[in-house]
Every structure is written in structure tokens, then in C-alpha cells.
Amino acid sequence: MRIGFTLNGKPVTLEMEPRETLAEVLRGRCRTTGVKVSCESQVCGSCTVLVDELPVSACTFLAYEARGKRVTTIEGLADESGRLHPLQQAFLDHFAFQCGFCTPGMILAAKALLDEKPEVTDEEIAAHMNSNLCRCTGYLPILKAIRQAATALRETK
């Protein structure tokens, strides 16, 4: 099957099997290895990417469902000059990662939240992020990072 979609702002066309997941295609064919696969059952959130700005679990989302859509991975968040997205910078500032395995999915899930709701409470952040698991950091640094990024994003608008 031949499909086309936009990956991190650039058009992509490729051949794939109908049964392939978006995570398999992104990691194996597109070399966007920031997409992590852990549970393969839509439980941990490590594989979260954005499809038309909405978070999806790439480990269970079939790649053909992305045809004609915009897919964003962690590799697509920095601007053209290489400056990090405010969420990426906030995760660094608050050391909101240790091993980093869950970080790309966390950042993309948080981006979807902040794009939809720039003024967000700690409770709303916690509720939105409950499908993204971290085994290393605890969640306080992640919460602080998302809060900082929300403030930074509001100030740039």
C-alpha cells in the first residue's frame, strides 16, 4: 500500500503493509527514533505522537490511518534554527526526565493539552497526563515543566 502524509512539516510518501503501526513506520522507515515503543498496548504513552495536532498512541494506530494527515514527532518541535520548543526547554530546566524514554510522549501529550487549553490548572495537567507513565522521575518535575511551558507559550502569543 502506498500512503502519503506530512511528517514534521515535510511531505512523505512510502510503501507499507496495511497491518503496520504508525510507530513501526515512523521508527523503521522514517527514522524518527524519538518515537518510543514500550507496552505496545496503548497503556504507557511512550509512543505518543500528534496526528492533526491530536495525541495518538502510535503503537496501536495503524499507519494507513495517517494518510493525508499531519504527523508530528518530537523531532518536529524545535524551530528551523534549532531552538527548542518551550516544552522541551522546560523539561530540561526542571530535569523532568531521568532515562528519557517517556519524555517524547510526555512532551507531545502536553503540547496537545496546551494547544487546546493555554490556561491550565495543575489538576487539568494531571488529568490529561494520566495516560503517560514515567517509571523514573515521579511526576512533580513534569508538572512544573508543563506549568512553565504554559506560561512561556502564553507570553509569546
Side-chain angles (χ1 to χ4, degrees):
M1 163 183 283
R2 187 172 185 80
I3 67 165
F5 57 92
T6 301
L7 176 59
N8 297 327
K10 297 183 176 114
V12 172
T13 303
L14 49 85
E15 293 287 331
M16 51 152 290
E17 294 292 323
R19 70 180 187 287
E20 288 184 273
T21 66
L22 187 56
E24 291 169 328
V25 168
L26 291 173
R27 287 184 59 80
R29 301 243 173 84
C30 301
R31 301 290 187 229
T32 51
T33 56
V35 178
K36 305 301 182 196
V37 178
S38 180
C39 71
E40 296 186 66
S41 60
Q42 200 172 345
V43 174
C44 72
S46 292
C47 67
T48 301
V49 299
L50 303 178
V51 175
D52 284 347
E53 305 305 318
L54 297 174
V56 301
S57 293
C59 71
T60 57
F61 191 89
L62 293 175
Y64 78 83
E65 294 179 275
R67 65 194 181 284
K69 299 186 179 195
R70 293 178 326 274
V71 177
T72 305
T73 68
I74 195 71
E75 291 88 349
L77 287 190
D79 67 18
E80 295 80 31
S81 71
R83 193 182 78 193
L84 297 177
H85 184 278
L87 275 162
Q88 291 170 305
Q89 187 60 56
F91 267 65
L92 289 172
D93 293 347
H94 290 280
F95 199 67
F97 57 89
Q98 282 181 19
C99 80
F101 196 83
C102 69
T103 305
M106 288 272 185
I107 289 173
L108 289 165
K111 182 182 185 312
L113 171 64
L114 298 180
D115 286 348
E116 183 179 318
K117 188 168 181 159
E119 299 273 343
V120 66
T121 67
D122 288 354
E123 292 77 21
E124 290 168 322
I125 294 170
H128 182 81
M129 299 301 292
N130 74 355
S131 61
N132 289 76
L133 305 178
C134 177
R135 293 177 176 97
C136 301
T137 64
Y139 294 94
L140 191 56
I142 293 166
L143 177 68
K144 288 178 180 178
I146 295 169
R147 200 178 323 127
Q148 174 185 309
T151 300
L153 288 165
R154 282 193 311 272
E155 289 173 357
T156 62
K157 290 191 181 191

